[in-house]
Amino acid sequence: MGTRDGLNWPRVQALAARERADYVARHPASQALAAQAAQHLLFGVPMHWMNDWSTPFALTVNEASGAHFTDADGLQYADFCLGDTGAMFGHAPAPVAAAIARQATRGYTAMLPSNDAAPVATELARRFGLPYWQFALSASDANRFMLRWLRAATGRSKILVFNGCYHGTVDDVFVDLVDGVPTQRASLLGQVHDLTAHTVVVEFNDLDALDAALGAGDIACVLAEPVMTNVGIVLPQPGYWRAAQEIIARHGTLLVIDETHTISSGPGGYAQAHGMRPDAVVIGKPLAGGLPCAAYGMTEELARRVEHAKRSAPAGHSGIGTTLSANMFAMAAMRANLEQVMTQDAYTQMFALAQQLADGLRASIARHGLPWCVTQVGARTEFQFGLVPPQNGSAAKMLMDEELEQAIHLYLLNRGVLITPFHNMLLVCPATSEADLQRLLQAFDDCLAALV
């Protein structure tokens, strides 16, 4: 055995084994709770992906506040995962907690608008520059509903996504390029329809491929993250979105920007921060401070087409919306979060912290001579196992190394620092402190020293 990713691989494997043993020794309460959960929870956890962490058994959270949480064994952590963006502004922000407490005695759901609905829509319109809005319980639902609206409004059945994209659990997007061929993702369980019949996939940052794919005139919309995030961060090349928007408009296709992760770019997301003009936007995860909630907005011209499609359709269920969508509880939390938590001041503070974090990661990587890079989207930072940032999903996938990721993640966790389990993404929130940053950077540096 030799080296991999610039590292001595036997040392990586030995470190991982030591860290697993240390985790077991330090977490008897979590281990006992995991054993109890296994009696009645499928896969032993409330959601099967909660087993995707690097830990031998699930870490049980006792309480979370601000940038920290405490586990069942009483150990405290600096949280740089923050619910993978769901708690991007910190756990249990005080204004949201107060709004939830007020609403707790005033009703949760009524299938009618609450007095928070109009102010929330007004604020979303101001931030995102789109005048008309609807709500859902998750960004997955919001994306799913948006695709239905746009297919109905345009009369076109196909959509286009980018290879390696992330739009939640929407079936339509689980198509990848495998050796250049659109292929239904093998991991999508229970799928019985051929998704490639109505989903077109091209590489991000490839303008020629985008133009060619839209040429047939049968694609309703391009559904895109403005920066790819779930295959590792893939930044748009300079001028890409300006040219891509011109191509999309020329072919009569609509552009939907999914800001669920790139809301880290600013109060109005990446599109507003970078002068994009999408036809529609989807936003979820942190919108209501961590409660299940999402929203999708659209231009006035698109709204008129959507309304016409609905009014022209036969009576009956549209397949859009769920009973608890826009419930009173979520709307109250969302209003408080938008008005008092997701502020420009909060973003300014988070951007400064994220820059310090990115600079510190780069310094540590350079100090140990590793061929890795660091990318950043506002408050969102990631280190990747390649010398230069990838330009598309295929390149990003080639940089991933699950065994190495898990070794690093568990090393950090055992030193009181949590980052996301799926790749190497880190978030800061307004409550993140300089001490939290130094705790992470010191643990990261010590980890690299142990691996090189």
Side-chain angles (χ1 to χ4, degrees):
M1 299 184 69
T3 60
R4 190 165 111 201
D5 301 307
L7 301 172
N8 181 307
W9 207 249
R11 294 187 69 176
V12 174
Q13 294 173 317
L15 177 139
R18 290 196 304 271
E19 295 302 322
R20 285 192 291 270
D22 187 43
Y23 178 87
V24 171
R26 290 164 56 84
H27 296 90
S30 278
Q31 187 171 28
L33 287 166
Q36 180 183 353
Q39 299 176 36
H40 298 290
L41 288 175
L42 193 63
F43 303 104
V45 284
M47 285 295 295
H48 68 86
W49 44 254
M50 291 182 180
N51 275 330
D52 290 347
W53 296 84
S54 56
T55 56
F57 47 82
L59 182 71
T60 297
V61 176
N62 187 43
E63 61 177 330
S65 178
H68 303 94
F69 71 91
T70 303
D71 70 14
D73 290 281
L75 303 175
Q76 190 183 76
Y77 300 81
D79 189 358
F80 290 88
C81 172
L82 295 171
D84 192 19
T85 312
M88 194 178 81
F89 297 93
H91 297 287
V96 177
I100 289 172
R102 286 194 303 271
Q103 193 64 38
T105 58
R106 300 174 63 186
Y108 304 156
T109 187
M111 288 186 69
L112 290 166
S114 68
N115 57 9
D116 293 314
V120 166
T122 299
E123 176 60 12
L124 290 172
R126 183 191 71 81
R127 286 176 180 243
F128 291 92
L130 295 169
Y132 291 99
W133 291 81
Q134 290 279 271
F135 298 90
L137 288 175
S138 70
S140 292
D141 275 351
N143 279 314
R144 190 175 293 113
F145 300 159
M146 181 61 75
L147 294 184
R148 281 188 174 271
W149 283 125
L150 298 193
R151 283 169 165 154
T154 63
R156 297 178 175 185
S157 65
K158 292 185 178 181
I159 66 166
L160 184 146
V161 297
F162 293 108
N163 186 37
C165 67
Y166 177 74
H167 302 290
T169 59
V170 180
D171 291 352
D172 305 68
V173 307
F174 283 80
V175 179
D176 297 320
L177 285 177
V178 179
D179 297 325
V181 178
T183 306
Q184 191 161 298
R185 196 173 301 174
S187 62
L188 183 59
L189 293 172
Q191 178 61 39
V192 296
H193 305 294
D194 179 12
L195 298 177
T196 62
H198 293 96
T199 300
V200 176
V201 58
V202 300
E203 292 286 11
F204 194 56
N205 280 317
D206 188 337
L207 292 170
D208 291 339
L210 177 65
D211 195 9
L214 296 179
D218 57 354
I219 294 176
C221 71
V222 173
L223 174 59
E225 304 165 272
V227 175
M228 298 189 73
T229 59
N230 213 52
V231 70
I233 292 175
V234 180
L235 297 168
Q237 294 299 292
Y240 172 75
W241 273 119
R242 176 188 56 75
Q245 288 179 102
E246 292 174 358
I247 292 169
I248 293 166
R250 175 160 45 83
H251 289 290
T253 302
L254 299 168
L255 174 61
V256 181
I257 290 297
D258 185 347
E259 295 272 16
T260 299
H261 282 162
T262 53
I263 190 62
S264 62
S265 304
Y270 186 96
Q272 278 292 95
H274 293 267
M276 295 178 65
R277 293 293 178 263
D279 298 287
V281 159
V282 170
I283 172 67
K285 289 197 177 180
L287 200 55
L291 287 186
C293 185
Y296 55 100
M298 60 191 74
T299 63
E300 181 166 1
E301 191 275 336
L302 178 54
R304 299 289 85 86
R305 295 172 70 181
V306 162
E307 288 174 340
H308 175 75
K310 171 59 179 168
R311 288 169 179 152
S312 301
H317 200 294
S318 64
I320 298 170
T322 56
T323 304
L324 294 181
S325 295
N327 66 78
M328 299 158 66
F329 208 63
M331 297 300 283
M334 191 174 3
R335 182 177 182 179
N337 198 53
L338 286 168
E339 292 180 350
Q340 301 177 62
V341 180
M342 288 179 66
T343 64
Q344 182 60 62
D345 286 346
Y347 273 99
T348 299
Q349 182 178 352
M350 290 157 67
F351 291 165
L353 289 167
Q355 188 61 58
Q356 289 184 52
L357 174 57
D359 290 344
L361 293 172
R362 290 188 182 102
S364 185
I365 289 167
R367 185 160 46 249
H368 295 285
L370 289 167
W372 300 356
C373 63
V374 176
T375 46
Q376 184 181 351
V377 184
R380 187 182 186 95
T381 306
E382 184 153 22
F383 60 93
Q384 292 166 291
F385 305 137
L387 193 58
V388 296
Q391 293 191 19
N392 58 46
S394 292
K397 289 176 185 177
M398 291 180 66
L399 299 185
M400 289 185 165
D401 188 322
E402 183 178 358
E403 189 176 3
L404 177 56
E405 287 174 8
Q406 295 222 338
I408 295 172
H409 298 179
L410 188 54
Y411 185 99
L412 297 176
L413 180 69
N414 281 338
R415 285 145 188 85
V417 176
L418 187 78
I419 71 173
T420 53
F422 308 114
H423 36 102
N424 300 313
M425 194 276 294
L426 306 99
L427 280 166
V428 295
C429 72
T432 303
S433 67
E434 294 281 348
D436 295 328
L437 287 182
Q438 292 309 311
R439 185 178 188 180
L440 167 61
L441 292 172
Q442 186 61 61
F444 182 72
D445 195 72
D446 291 345
C447 182
L448 297 192
L451 293 174
V452 172

